[in-house]
Amino acid sequence: MDIEELSHEDYLILMAKQALHENPLESKAWMITAKSLYTKNFAIQFEAYAIEKISNNCKDAAKHFSELFRQFQDNDKLWEEVNLMMTALCTNSPTDEQTFLKGVFTNIPLEIQYNLLLVAAERSTSVIQHCHLVLLLLKTFPEKLDQHCQKLIATLMKAEQHFYEQNPLNPFRKLFVCDLQPLIAASTIIKTPQLFKILTNCIDFYLVYIIKTSENQTQDILFTDCIIEDPWNSMFNVFKTIGRQLGWELYDLFTSSLGKKNIWQKISRYATHCYEKKSNYRQLVFSSMILFIHCLFDYNTSVESGTGGQRTDSDNLVLLESISSDIQKSEYPAKKAKS
């Protein structure tokens, strides 16, 4: 197109682009002029942002992006850039462009960060991306937890039931257990019945993960964005966090330095207390179940390693509660049989 046929706005944009590589200051002068003359023109405002992006200038790009979001929130081209930014924020291995976009987001005023995440989550057509963005919002603005966490919990549970009803090792449960649950500890609106549901879901997730990884059935793990290094310890920490929220006396049972035998003794003493007071059986049930499965898993692992990872039908395996090497003589000696 001939320069004479260009509109005034397009001419200013062209001049800024042509001067960018040889004389960045001249390019910036052209854009300042254009922005001053045409404050409501999206193409000019976006080009100002694009030039700062090409120049790898996070702070100035953030200023232009903020202005774009304030004035042109419904523009499709702007939302293409917003979607790129949201993807960058959710990735663990960013490209150079994604690293830049993360920097732009960091330099955006907090009010716009919040509104940007909120609107982006609402506009998202992907349920998993929506959940990622709401989680990012809660991590960035923890003071908004009570406002958004209940809806996110419901969304994650509904999505899991719809897409992965039979497998707890799915992306939605992973987000719920590994990302959302630690945040919920600070919430003041999660009620006791819901805490029991959360604890059950977390234990279910970690136990299935432990079993599948121990049996090398990793094809059943439907999330790839993280590896849980110590699932037992993660489960114990969940028990501690939720147990503390529930006011349980045994909340730190598994995160203390007690061995399994001492843990069992503590549970036994508490069982006597529960029987006498006839109260709070649930923490007894949860703690006993976790200890039993942990012991059973360790037993099975020991057996497998002791037989080279193979078991046959001829193996005679017996699981005993406890054996003491110091067998006490009976207080009452056995009677002699009559001849």
PDB file of all heavy atoms in Angstrom, residues 19 38 40 54 64 94 96 105 143 164 199 248 250 260 263 268 281 304 310 324:
ATOM      1  N   ALA A  19      11.615   2.985  12.330  1.00  0.00           N
ATOM      2  CA  ALA A  19      12.710   3.576  13.103  1.00  0.00           C
ATOM      3  C   ALA A  19      13.177   2.683  14.252  1.00  0.00           C
ATOM      4  O   ALA A  19      14.222   2.955  14.855  1.00  0.00           O
ATOM      5  CB  ALA A  19      12.274   4.934  13.657  1.00  0.00           C
ATOM      6  N   TYR A  38      -4.072   9.973  19.399  1.00  0.00           N
ATOM      7  CA  TYR A  38      -5.159   9.000  19.224  1.00  0.00           C
ATOM      8  C   TYR A  38      -5.232   8.094  20.458  1.00  0.00           C
ATOM      9  O   TYR A  38      -4.848   6.925  20.427  1.00  0.00           O
ATOM     10  CB  TYR A  38      -4.931   8.176  17.959  1.00  0.00           C
ATOM     11  CG  TYR A  38      -4.813   9.019  16.711  1.00  0.00           C
ATOM     12  CD1 TYR A  38      -3.558   9.321  16.175  1.00  0.00           C
ATOM     13  CD2 TYR A  38      -5.946   9.530  16.089  1.00  0.00           C
ATOM     14  CE1 TYR A  38      -3.446  10.105  15.038  1.00  0.00           C
ATOM     15  CE2 TYR A  38      -5.842  10.320  14.943  1.00  0.00           C
ATOM     16  CZ  TYR A  38      -4.587  10.602  14.428  1.00  0.00           C
ATOM     17  OH  TYR A  38      -4.484  11.393  13.305  1.00  0.00           O
ATOM     18  N   LYS A  40      -7.704   6.773  21.954  1.00  0.00           N
ATOM     19  CA  LYS A  40      -8.711   5.711  21.948  1.00  0.00           C
ATOM     20  C   LYS A  40      -8.519   4.729  20.794  1.00  0.00           C
ATOM     21  O   LYS A  40      -9.391   3.903  20.538  1.00  0.00           O
ATOM     22  CB  LYS A  40     -10.119   6.316  21.863  1.00  0.00           C
ATOM     23  CG  LYS A  40     -10.469   7.274  22.993  1.00  0.00           C
ATOM     24  CD  LYS A  40     -10.434   6.572  24.349  1.00  0.00           C
ATOM     25  CE  LYS A  40     -10.830   7.522  25.471  1.00  0.00           C
ATOM     26  NZ  LYS A  40     -10.776   6.856  26.799  1.00  0.00           N
ATOM     27  N   ILE A  54       9.105  -6.147  21.739  1.00  0.00           N
ATOM     28  CA  ILE A  54      10.236  -6.452  20.863  1.00  0.00           C
ATOM     29  C   ILE A  54      11.539  -5.974  21.490  1.00  0.00           C
ATOM     30  O   ILE A  54      12.581  -6.632  21.385  1.00  0.00           O
ATOM     31  CB  ILE A  54      10.028  -5.796  19.479  1.00  0.00           C
ATOM     32  CG1 ILE A  54       8.849  -6.458  18.756  1.00  0.00           C
ATOM     33  CG2 ILE A  54      11.294  -5.901  18.629  1.00  0.00           C
ATOM     34  CD1 ILE A  54       8.444  -5.753  17.476  1.00  0.00           C
ATOM     35  N   HIS A  64       1.938  -0.173  29.099  1.00  0.00           N
ATOM     36  CA  HIS A  64       1.074  -0.153  27.922  1.00  0.00           C
ATOM     37  C   HIS A  64       0.005  -1.244  28.014  1.00  0.00           C
ATOM     38  O   HIS A  64      -1.150  -1.017  27.637  1.00  0.00           O
ATOM     39  CB  HIS A  64       1.911  -0.341  26.653  1.00  0.00           C
ATOM     40  CG  HIS A  64       2.830   0.801  26.357  1.00  0.00           C
ATOM     41  ND1 HIS A  64       2.395   2.108  26.262  1.00  0.00           N
ATOM     42  CD2 HIS A  64       4.170   0.842  26.125  1.00  0.00           C
ATOM     43  CE1 HIS A  64       3.419   2.902  25.989  1.00  0.00           C
ATOM     44  NE2 HIS A  64       4.509   2.155  25.904  1.00  0.00           N
ATOM     45  N   PRO A  94       9.138 -22.233  31.047  1.00  0.00           N
ATOM     46  CA  PRO A  94       8.793 -21.170  30.096  1.00  0.00           C
ATOM     47  C   PRO A  94       9.847 -20.964  29.012  1.00  0.00           C
ATOM     48  O   PRO A  94      11.041 -21.154  29.235  1.00  0.00           O
ATOM     49  CB  PRO A  94       8.682 -19.932  30.989  1.00  0.00           C
ATOM     50  CG  PRO A  94       9.595 -20.213  32.142  1.00  0.00           C
ATOM     51  CD  PRO A  94       9.487 -21.697  32.371  1.00  0.00           C
ATOM     52  N   ASP A  96      11.573 -18.149  26.226  1.00  0.00           N
ATOM     53  CA  ASP A  96      12.022 -16.768  26.437  1.00  0.00           C
ATOM     54  C   ASP A  96      10.844 -15.795  26.383  1.00  0.00           C
ATOM     55  O   ASP A  96      10.756 -14.859  27.194  1.00  0.00           O
ATOM     56  CB  ASP A  96      13.064 -16.387  25.376  1.00  0.00           C
ATOM     57  CG  ASP A  96      14.383 -17.123  25.578  1.00  0.00           C
ATOM     58  OD1 ASP A  96      14.606 -17.637  26.695  1.00  0.00           O
ATOM     59  OD2 ASP A  96      15.178 -17.192  24.623  1.00  0.00           O
ATOM     60  N   PHE A 105       3.559  -9.380  33.525  1.00  0.00           N
ATOM     61  CA  PHE A 105       2.495  -9.558  34.519  1.00  0.00           C
ATOM     62  C   PHE A 105       2.952  -9.089  35.899  1.00  0.00           C
ATOM     63  O   PHE A 105       2.188  -8.435  36.624  1.00  0.00           O
ATOM     64  CB  PHE A 105       2.084 -11.031  34.578  1.00  0.00           C
ATOM     65  CG  PHE A 105       0.982 -11.312  35.564  1.00  0.00           C
ATOM     66  CD1 PHE A 105      -0.339 -11.101  35.220  1.00  0.00           C
ATOM     67  CD2 PHE A 105       1.272 -11.784  36.838  1.00  0.00           C
ATOM     68  CE1 PHE A 105      -1.362 -11.345  36.132  1.00  0.00           C
ATOM     69  CE2 PHE A 105       0.265 -12.033  37.753  1.00  0.00           C
ATOM     70  CZ  PHE A 105      -1.057 -11.818  37.397  1.00  0.00           C
ATOM     71  N   GLU A 143      -5.695 -13.201  50.242  1.00  0.00           N
ATOM     72  CA  GLU A 143      -6.798 -12.563  50.962  1.00  0.00           C
ATOM     73  C   GLU A 143      -8.149 -12.808  50.271  1.00  0.00           C
ATOM     74  O   GLU A 143      -9.209 -12.571  50.869  1.00  0.00           O
ATOM     75  CB  GLU A 143      -6.553 -11.056  51.099  1.00  0.00           C
ATOM     76  CG  GLU A 143      -6.615 -10.258  49.810  1.00  0.00           C
ATOM     77  CD  GLU A 143      -5.313 -10.253  49.023  1.00  0.00           C
ATOM     78  OE1 GLU A 143      -4.407 -11.027  49.384  1.00  0.00           O
ATOM     79  OE2 GLU A 143      -5.205  -9.460  48.066  1.00  0.00           O
ATOM     80  N   TYR A 164     -13.113 -38.217  35.107  1.00  0.00           N
ATOM     81  CA  TYR A 164     -12.239 -39.274  35.639  1.00  0.00           C
ATOM     82  C   TYR A 164     -12.867 -39.930  36.861  1.00  0.00           C
ATOM     83  O   TYR A 164     -12.243 -40.030  37.915  1.00  0.00           O
ATOM     84  CB  TYR A 164     -10.881 -38.695  36.043  1.00  0.00           C
ATOM     85  CG  TYR A 164     -10.152 -37.950  34.954  1.00  0.00           C
ATOM     86  CD1 TYR A 164     -10.144 -36.560  34.933  1.00  0.00           C
ATOM     87  CD2 TYR A 164      -9.455 -38.632  33.962  1.00  0.00           C
ATOM     88  CE1 TYR A 164      -9.463 -35.867  33.947  1.00  0.00           C
ATOM     89  CE2 TYR A 164      -8.774 -37.945  32.970  1.00  0.00           C
ATOM     90  CZ  TYR A 164      -8.782 -36.566  32.968  1.00  0.00           C
ATOM     91  OH  TYR A 164      -8.105 -35.883  31.997  1.00  0.00           O
ATOM     92  N   LEU A 199     -10.042 -34.488  53.555  1.00  0.00           N
ATOM     93  CA  LEU A 199      -9.057 -35.427  54.099  1.00  0.00           C
ATOM     94  C   LEU A 199      -9.179 -36.794  53.430  1.00  0.00           C
ATOM     95  O   LEU A 199      -8.170 -37.412  53.061  1.00  0.00           O
ATOM     96  CB  LEU A 199      -9.246 -35.556  55.613  1.00  0.00           C
ATOM     97  CG  LEU A 199      -8.294 -36.516  56.341  1.00  0.00           C
ATOM     98  CD1 LEU A 199      -6.839 -36.126  56.116  1.00  0.00           C
ATOM     99  CD2 LEU A 199      -8.612 -36.556  57.836  1.00  0.00           C
ATOM    100  N   TRP A 248      -8.012 -31.916  66.463  1.00  0.00           N
ATOM    101  CA  TRP A 248      -7.675 -33.266  66.889  1.00  0.00           C
ATOM    102  C   TRP A 248      -6.444 -33.276  67.797  1.00  0.00           C
ATOM    103  O   TRP A 248      -5.466 -32.568  67.544  1.00  0.00           O
ATOM    104  CB  TRP A 248      -7.395 -34.151  65.677  1.00  0.00           C
ATOM    105  CG  TRP A 248      -8.634 -34.569  64.942  1.00  0.00           C
ATOM    106  CD1 TRP A 248      -9.924 -34.299  65.274  1.00  0.00           C
ATOM    107  CD2 TRP A 248      -8.686 -35.339  63.737  1.00  0.00           C
ATOM    108  NE1 TRP A 248     -10.786 -34.851  64.363  1.00  0.00           N
ATOM    109  CE2 TRP A 248     -10.055 -35.502  63.403  1.00  0.00           C
ATOM    110  CE3 TRP A 248      -7.721 -35.905  62.911  1.00  0.00           C
ATOM    111  CZ2 TRP A 248     -10.467 -36.205  62.282  1.00  0.00           C
ATOM    112  CZ3 TRP A 248      -8.135 -36.612  61.796  1.00  0.00           C
ATOM    113  CH2 TRP A 248      -9.492 -36.764  61.484  1.00  0.00           C
ATOM    114  N   LEU A 250      -4.524 -35.872  68.055  1.00  0.00           N
ATOM    115  CA  LEU A 250      -3.514 -36.695  67.383  1.00  0.00           C
ATOM    116  C   LEU A 250      -3.040 -36.080  66.068  1.00  0.00           C
ATOM    117  O   LEU A 250      -2.467 -36.777  65.233  1.00  0.00           O
ATOM    118  CB  LEU A 250      -4.093 -38.092  67.099  1.00  0.00           C
ATOM    119  CG  LEU A 250      -4.571 -38.900  68.308  1.00  0.00           C
ATOM    120  CD1 LEU A 250      -5.181 -40.218  67.848  1.00  0.00           C
ATOM    121  CD2 LEU A 250      -3.421 -39.163  69.272  1.00  0.00           C
ATOM    122  N   LYS A 260       6.737 -46.457  64.635  1.00  0.00           N
ATOM    123  CA  LYS A 260       5.407 -47.042  64.454  1.00  0.00           C
ATOM    124  C   LYS A 260       4.860 -47.648  65.749  1.00  0.00           C
ATOM    125  O   LYS A 260       3.672 -47.540  66.044  1.00  0.00           O
ATOM    126  CB  LYS A 260       5.452 -48.108  63.351  1.00  0.00           C
ATOM    127  CG  LYS A 260       5.681 -47.552  61.949  1.00  0.00           C
ATOM    128  CD  LYS A 260       5.544 -48.660  60.921  1.00  0.00           C
ATOM    129  CE  LYS A 260       5.763 -48.138  59.507  1.00  0.00           C
ATOM    130  NZ  LYS A 260       7.170 -47.738  59.281  1.00  0.00           N
ATOM    131  N   ILE A 263       3.699 -44.891  67.939  1.00  0.00           N
ATOM    132  CA  ILE A 263       2.475 -44.312  67.370  1.00  0.00           C
ATOM    133  C   ILE A 263       1.278 -45.186  67.723  1.00  0.00           C
ATOM    134  O   ILE A 263       0.216 -44.694  68.114  1.00  0.00           O
ATOM    135  CB  ILE A 263       2.606 -44.164  65.836  1.00  0.00           C
ATOM    136  CG1 ILE A 263       3.610 -43.059  65.498  1.00  0.00           C
ATOM    137  CG2 ILE A 263       1.254 -43.858  65.198  1.00  0.00           C
ATOM    138  CD1 ILE A 263       3.901 -42.921  64.014  1.00  0.00           C
ATOM    139  N   SER A 268      -3.549 -46.349  70.895  1.00  0.00           N
ATOM    140  CA  SER A 268      -4.232 -47.238  71.845  1.00  0.00           C
ATOM    141  C   SER A 268      -4.682 -46.477  73.087  1.00  0.00           C
ATOM    142  O   SER A 268      -5.797 -46.677  73.583  1.00  0.00           O
ATOM    143  CB  SER A 268      -3.304 -48.395  72.237  1.00  0.00           C
ATOM    144  OG  SER A 268      -2.959 -49.171  71.114  1.00  0.00           O
ATOM    145  N   TYR A 281     -14.463 -40.236  67.635  1.00  0.00           N
ATOM    146  CA  TYR A 281     -13.942 -41.492  67.112  1.00  0.00           C
ATOM    147  C   TYR A 281     -13.280 -41.320  65.741  1.00  0.00           C
ATOM    148  O   TYR A 281     -12.496 -42.170  65.330  1.00  0.00           O
ATOM    149  CB  TYR A 281     -15.073 -42.524  66.994  1.00  0.00           C
ATOM    150  CG  TYR A 281     -15.533 -43.076  68.320  1.00  0.00           C
ATOM    151  CD1 TYR A 281     -16.703 -42.628  68.917  1.00  0.00           C
ATOM    152  CD2 TYR A 281     -14.785 -44.048  68.975  1.00  0.00           C
ATOM    153  CE1 TYR A 281     -17.127 -43.137  70.135  1.00  0.00           C
ATOM    154  CE2 TYR A 281     -15.202 -44.565  70.195  1.00  0.00           C
ATOM    155  CZ  TYR A 281     -16.372 -44.102  70.773  1.00  0.00           C
ATOM    156  OH  TYR A 281     -16.777 -44.610  71.980  1.00  0.00           O
ATOM    157  N   GLU A 304       8.632 -58.426  49.328  1.00  0.00           N
ATOM    158  CA  GLU A 304       8.986 -58.390  47.908  1.00  0.00           C
ATOM    159  C   GLU A 304      10.497 -58.308  47.722  1.00  0.00           C
ATOM    160  O   GLU A 304      11.076 -59.007  46.895  1.00  0.00           O
ATOM    161  CB  GLU A 304       8.310 -57.193  47.230  1.00  0.00           C
ATOM    162  CG  GLU A 304       6.799 -57.268  47.172  1.00  0.00           C
ATOM    163  CD  GLU A 304       6.309 -58.283  46.162  1.00  0.00           C
ATOM    164  OE1 GLU A 304       7.138 -58.827  45.419  1.00  0.00           O
ATOM    165  OE2 GLU A 304       5.100 -58.544  46.119  1.00  0.00           O
ATOM    166  N   GLN A 310       9.763 -61.316  43.575  1.00  0.00           N
ATOM    167  CA  GLN A 310       8.871 -62.338  43.041  1.00  0.00           C
ATOM    168  C   GLN A 310       8.270 -63.143  44.185  1.00  0.00           C
ATOM    169  O   GLN A 310       8.931 -63.454  45.164  1.00  0.00           O
ATOM    170  CB  GLN A 310       9.642 -63.289  42.108  1.00  0.00           C
ATOM    171  CG  GLN A 310      10.303 -62.597  40.936  1.00  0.00           C
ATOM    172  CD  GLN A 310       9.277 -62.059  39.958  1.00  0.00           C
ATOM    173  OE1 GLN A 310       8.217 -62.659  39.796  1.00  0.00           O
ATOM    174  NE2 GLN A 310       9.588 -60.942  39.326  1.00  0.00           N
ATOM    175  N   SER A 324       7.561 -60.431  70.747  1.00  0.00           N
ATOM    176  CA  SER A 324       8.590 -60.016  71.691  1.00  0.00           C
ATOM    177  C   SER A 324       9.535 -61.178  71.934  1.00  0.00           C
ATOM    178  O   SER A 324       9.113 -62.325  72.079  1.00  0.00           O
ATOM    179  CB  SER A 324       7.953 -59.574  73.014  1.00  0.00           C
ATOM    180  OG  SER A 324       8.960 -59.305  73.967  1.00  0.00           O
TER     181      SER A 324
END
